Amino acid sequence: MSGVLYEQREVRQARYAVAAVFAVHGAVTGSFATRVPWIQDHASVSAGQLGLALAFPALGASVAMPLAGRISHRFGARNALRGLIALWTLSLILPSLAPNLLTLCLALFVYGATAGMADVAMNALGVEIENRLGRSIMSGLHGMWSAGALIGSAAGTLAAHLGADARLHHALAAGVLTVLGVAMCAWVLDLQPAQDEEPPPRFALPPKSALLIGAVGFCAVFAEGASLDWSAVYLRDRLESSAGLAAACTTGFTLTMAIARFAGDKVVDRFGSVRTVRAGGFLAVLGGLLIVVADHPAVAMGGFALMGLGIAVVVPLCFAAAGRSGPNPSLAIAGVATITYTSGLIAPSAIGGLAEVTSLTVSFGLVTVLACGIVAFAGVLRAGDRDRPKVGRRAAAVADPRP
């Protein structure tokens, strides 16, 4: 019994440690996003050149994410996460140092590559901890990422308001976040490969199961990217609202997503991944319809709030399902992450391009159609509910106790 209690305590500690790592990861993103105008001015790049440069994080992540599984196999999950989260936090320094477009693109490629590898490693550990606890935690972990992003954004906003040099701001932020991230890794699970386990390939196409799961994540991330980048513009241009009200719409969307993610685990435990995602898809579709037909800012804001509520838990549950969909969780998670990163890359430009040819109303009609895809294909996430032990005192005893 003492061994079971020790296992329970170890897994609980690992859960809190990985949650802190998720928050650190989000804080880096929030810290960077708020200083993009400063970085643009420092590198002397135009808006079009900045748009090109901002494609490089997704490119770097897509190239590097398949390597995360091999790194974890070589060094063990704990050491791999410790090294990757340190590389990610320290990479925050690079973009603000770039003096021109070429160096900015290179810096953002490295920034994205380290982000993607750390993302895969921490999600793989999150899935393993969820398996051992026997209850959903992935939604809450992604909620911690959102909370970290909000904290990083708030600190960055303050630094920008004070006129702080982004090089100094990012150096200090990187130092603090590196210490926090590395320290938290001391309590994550120290998973080691079996002696006869073959290392995953350096580069490989994602398995078929990851492609189907990734398609659901693609729809959700497309709606998220479109709403984050275009909700304020939609209210300002389409409904002629004030700048303050337009900005409040985007903030409300972000907060709705964060709150829904923190509450999502209890819903998943009660209803399962498929029904939760399908219900979320219905809410997203309803939100999209409200946005399209809105003739008053309040209606559109309600639509964006429903959109955020509906898609909030989809990506966490996609990662959870990918981690249980085959013999190589890291490879499957990397495949899903690549697809979702790609969706986040193309969504803002696709919305803008379609709006240029037609209108923003038609653009969000497309978002609504993609939300229908979440409803239609939610069944592929059934792997997220497979072979899950019951919640309770015996959960740790039922779960596989091997490290």
Side-chain angles (χ1 to χ4, degrees):
M1 180 61 68
S2 60
V4 172
L5 292 176
Y6 176 79
E7 176 73 13
Q8 287 179 316
R9 185 178 66 180
E10 182 183 39
V11 173
R12 284 197 300 269
Q13 286 178 341
R15 176 189 179 181
Y16 298 136
V18 170
V21 172
F22 267 79
V24 167
H25 195 287
V28 175
T29 302
S31 299
F32 167 75
T34 54
R35 306 312 304 271
V36 168
W38 190 99
I39 292 170
Q40 179 184 7
D41 291 341
H42 179 69
S44 300
V45 296
S46 66
Q49 290 173 326
L50 178 64
L52 172 65
L54 290 176
F56 275 79
L59 180 61
S62 298
V63 170
M65 279 189 291
L67 295 174
R70 194 173 184 91
I71 293 171
S72 294
H73 184 277
R74 172 76 179 274
F75 299 103
R78 180 185 293 168
N79 287 332
L81 183 60
R82 182 182 286 126
L84 291 174
I85 199 67
L87 288 175
W88 163 233
T89 52
L90 291 173
S91 74
L92 175 61
I93 299 172
L94 299 178
S96 60
L97 298 177
N100 53 50
L101 177 61
L102 176 61
T103 54
L104 180 60
C105 289
L106 292 174
L108 290 174
F109 183 90
V110 174
Y111 174 85
T114 55
M117 290 189 292
D119 200 350
V120 171
M122 68 190 193
N123 274 286
L125 274 168
V127 171
E128 177 63 24
I129 294 167
E130 183 173 273
N131 288 339
R132 296 193 184 196
L133 286 173
R135 60 180 182 272
S136 177
I137 66 167
M138 291 300 291
S139 181
L141 291 180
H142 283 253
M144 288 296 294
W145 189 96
S146 297
L150 287 171
I151 292 171
S153 297
T157 300
L158 177 61
H161 178 72
L162 296 175
D165 189 307
R167 291 169 294 189
L168 176 60
H169 164 213
H170 284 168
L172 291 174
V176 171
L177 293 173
T178 300
V179 170
L180 288 175
V182 170
M184 289 299 102
C185 288
W187 288 280
V188 303
L189 296 177
D190 190 19
L191 306 177
Q192 299 289 339
Q195 291 184 350
D196 58 347
E197 182 179 340
E198 290 291 327
R202 288 184 176 88
F203 296 99
L205 293 175
K208 183 179 179 181
S209 59
L211 293 176
L212 296 173
I213 294 167
V216 178
F218 181 96
C219 295
V221 173
F222 194 97
E224 179 181 354
S227 299
L228 280 173
D229 287 2
W230 288 96
S231 56
V233 178
Y234 192 90
L235 261 70
R236 185 195 65 192
D237 293 353
R238 166 82 166 71
L239 301 173
E240 300 180 347
S241 64
S242 66
L245 190 63
C249 180
T250 304
T251 302
F253 172 82
T254 305
L255 288 175
T256 300
M257 283 198 65
I259 293 169
R261 282 178 169 174
F262 281 120
D265 290 323
K266 292 186 181 299
V267 177
V268 174
D269 284 333
R270 183 177 179 86
F271 298 105
S273 299
V274 174
R275 284 191 288 177
T276 300
V277 169
R278 188 164 285 143
F282 277 117
L283 289 177
V285 171
L286 177 58
L289 291 173
L290 286 177
I291 294 166
V292 169
V293 304
D295 58 359
H296 190 277
V299 177
M301 292 177 76
F304 281 113
L306 283 175
M307 183 74 73
L309 184 64
I311 65 175
V313 301
V314 177
V315 171
L317 294 182
C318 285
F319 282 124
R324 301 189 186 95
S325 64
N328 195 326
S330 292
L331 183 60
I333 290 172
V336 170
T338 301
I339 295 169
T340 56
Y341 268 67
T342 302
S343 180
L345 170 64
I346 68 174
S349 57
I351 293 296
L354 185 58
E356 186 73 22
V357 176
T358 56
S359 68
L360 274 175
T361 302
V362 174
S363 294
F364 277 94
L366 172 62
V367 173
T368 306
V369 171
L370 289 175
C372 292
I374 298 174
V375 178
F377 299 109
V380 302
L381 302 187
R382 201 172 304 279
D385 296 323
R386 187 182 64 191
D387 298 332
R388 298 184 61 182
K390 296 180 180 179
V391 179
R393 182 180 296 272
R394 290 175 55 81
V398 177
D400 183 1
R402 293 172 296 175

